[in-house]
Amino acid sequence: MRRSQAGEEQGAVGVVDLRAEAVVDLAAFRSNIERLRAAAPTSQLMVVVKADAYGHGAATCAREARAAGVPWLGTALPGEALALRADGDRGRLLTWLHSPGQDFAPLVAAEVDISVGARWALDGVVATGGPARVHLKVDTGLGRGGASREDWPALVAAARRAERDGVVRVVGIWSHLSCADDPTCDCTARQIAAFEEACAVARAAGLDPELRHLANSAATLLTPAAHYDLVRPGLAAYGLSPAPAVATAAGFGLRPALTLRARLSAVKHVPAGHTVSYGHATATRRPTALGLVPLGYADGVPRGAGRSAEVSVGGRRVGILGPVAMDQFVVDLTGLDASAGDEVVLFGPGADGEPTAEDWARAAGTIGYEIVTRLGSRLARRYTAESATGWSGCSG
Ligand SMILES: Cc1ncc(COP(=O)(O)O)c(C=O)c1O
């Protein structure tokens, strides 16, 4: 991904990409950060920028978050953290998804905080010679990373020894929630109890970390008991509802930051019975105006959403005809005065009646996380400080 002076991150090189763009409203991103800060006023804030900041562009979002005073950023992969360092980020940064054999030395050298949830990871960190900042991870019920209840005492004891040797400093104890989006379920309370127990075991072993952290977006907004010293929201920072069954983005006071839009590359009129897209499974039932949208599943548009997703053309919602292909899909423009070059909004904040990422998630049988995160690398990102208005082609 390259960045131009104009603040664009773009995948295509050497051509003007007029077909589509993902516009990220940084004012919305900042407003969401303020909303999250207000939801957990006594905790430090970590904004999770893994997976290219949930498709919004990690480098720009990281810089924007720091400019908004966010003390912590979080990534899953070590490479994601080091890319931020290479971009000049110097703030507190945690990375948590490591694999056996991982060389932790570049992370230690770059002063990236490292999650340790297993003995092999602690040994790898100790092998660097330190000094390493470590967050010990305990599995409180999600069943993914982190030491099990049985393995926790031994991990804690080994970490304490490494701390005495001056190789590591245990700055955090942490875990991840499984059902924070469902306040009716008692599993968050059970995970909090397991977390308390793990913290007590660590204290008894002589550890005194300054940070305990557990809360994702949903818990930041819904569960103060999970806030502890630091909260780790991701999705909500980008303005999507982390608990759609509880409230919409607007209901949570969030503003979706991303608008995905394209320009119709063709409009044509066909008779009834004209087949559309691969497989000949779809045929027009009446004389139909077909609009070609130059975005496909290679750009992250879910192939299966074609049956029920809608897009907005000229402020009107229209349906998709036939399956979404790799680079393009077809919409039904019958009755609209639309021409090639007109704007098509796949999703946005929803304020002008356009579909939201949440609408696409429902149509695709998935979650909003997947809709924004899957946007492809060849799609240009453009950053504005306001809601997306006007069209700007991206030159590379
Ligand atoms: C360990 C960890 N913490 C925090 C988050 C942020 O979660 P959310 O996007 O639901 O706020 C994630 C994302 O999945 C995660 O993996």
Side-chain angles (χ1 to χ4, degrees):
M1 210 55 97
R2 301 180 315 108
R3 189 187 328 290
S4 76
Q5 293 298 315
E8 296 156 1
E9 290 183 4
Q10 44 210 41
V13 176
V15 291
V16 176
D17 185 359
L18 292 171
R19 71 182 180 114
E21 63 180 7
V23 184
V24 179
D25 175 0
L26 294 174
F29 181 57
R30 277 205 189 215
S31 152
N32 300 328
I33 286 173
E34 290 318 316
R35 170 73 184 95
L36 291 161
R37 223 195 297 268
T42 59
S43 304
Q44 293 191 49
L45 177 62
M46 173 188 292
V47 171
V48 177
V49 294
K50 63 180 178 167
D52 203 22
Y54 292 47
H56 294 65
T60 303
C61 289
R63 267 184 256 124
E64 193 68 19
R66 295 301 195 195
V70 171
W72 283 89
L73 296 176
T75 70
L77 305 184
E80 294 176 318
L82 291 175
L84 292 178
R85 287 296 194 235
D87 192 60
D89 185 80
R90 294 287 168 265
R92 289 276 177 242
L93 177 56
L94 173 67
T95 182
W96 53 75
L97 193 57
H98 313 297
S99 303
Q102 167 84 43
D103 177 7
F104 291 98
L107 295 171
V108 174
E111 295 180 23
V112 174
D113 288 31
I114 300 168
S115 169
V116 165
R119 189 57 198 262
W120 62 259
L122 182 65
D123 292 346
V125 172
V126 167
T128 67
R133 291 171 51 92
V134 160
H135 299 230
L136 293 180
K137 184 171 190 189
V138 59
D139 180 2
T140 52
L142 182 60
R144 296 195 324 199
S148 65
R149 191 176 185 210
E150 292 67 38
D151 293 342
W152 181 246
L155 181 67
V156 158
R160 179 67 187 128
R161 282 194 298 278
E163 198 170 59
R164 277 207 208 91
D165 293 342
V167 185
V168 307
R169 204 176 128 223
V170 178
V171 293
I173 292 183
W174 75 297
S175 190
H176 195 38
L177 296 170
S178 62
C179 312
D181 59 332
D182 179 5
T184 65
C185 168
D186 69 352
C187 51
T188 300
R190 278 191 272 117
Q191 284 196 258
I192 290 173
F195 189 62
E196 292 282 347
E197 185 188 317
C199 290
V201 169
R203 263 194 312 275
L207 293 176
D208 186 22
E210 64 222 41
L211 297 168
R212 294 157 301 157
H213 49 108
L214 188 57
N216 56 3
S217 293
T220 302
L221 293 166
L222 294 169
T223 315
H227 287 176
Y228 293 100
D229 308 302
L230 178 148
V231 292
R232 295 188 318 268
L235 191 75
Y238 307 100
L240 277 73
S241 170
V246 178
T248 61
F252 277 122
L254 301 170
R255 290 167 52 189
L258 198 143
T259 296
L260 177 59
R261 61 190 192 177
R263 294 214 272 194
L264 289 169
S265 52
V267 175
K268 65 185 171 197
H269 298 267
V270 299
H274 196 290
T275 53
V276 182
S277 194
Y278 289 123
H280 280 193
T282 306
T284 53
R285 294 211 183 97
R286 49 173 161 69
T288 300
L290 303 179
L292 188 61
V293 181
L295 280 174
Y297 58 76
D299 302 296
V301 180
R303 184 171 184 276
R307 279 183 292 279
S308 47
E310 293 179 323
V311 301
S312 176
V313 178
R316 288 259 309 272
R317 296 263 196 126
V318 301
I320 296 172
L321 291 172
V324 172
M326 189 182 294
D327 316 300
Q328 46 199 298
F329 64 90
V330 177
V331 292
D332 185 346
L333 298 176
T334 309
L336 264 67
D337 182 20
S339 319
D342 285 359
E343 181 182 278
V344 183
V345 179
L346 280 78
F347 59 81
D352 295 321
E354 76 277 16
T356 62
E358 205 50 58
D359 293 330
W360 273 82
R362 266 191 301 278
T366 182
I367 52 179
Y369 292 81
E370 189 181 351
I371 297 297
V372 290
T373 305
R374 61 187 292 157
L375 296 183
S377 60
R378 67 181 187 174
L379 195 57
R381 308 297 195 269
R382 183 163 67 85
Y383 295 92
T384 69
E386 296 160 31
S387 299
T389 51
W391 181 270
S392 140
C394 295
S395 58

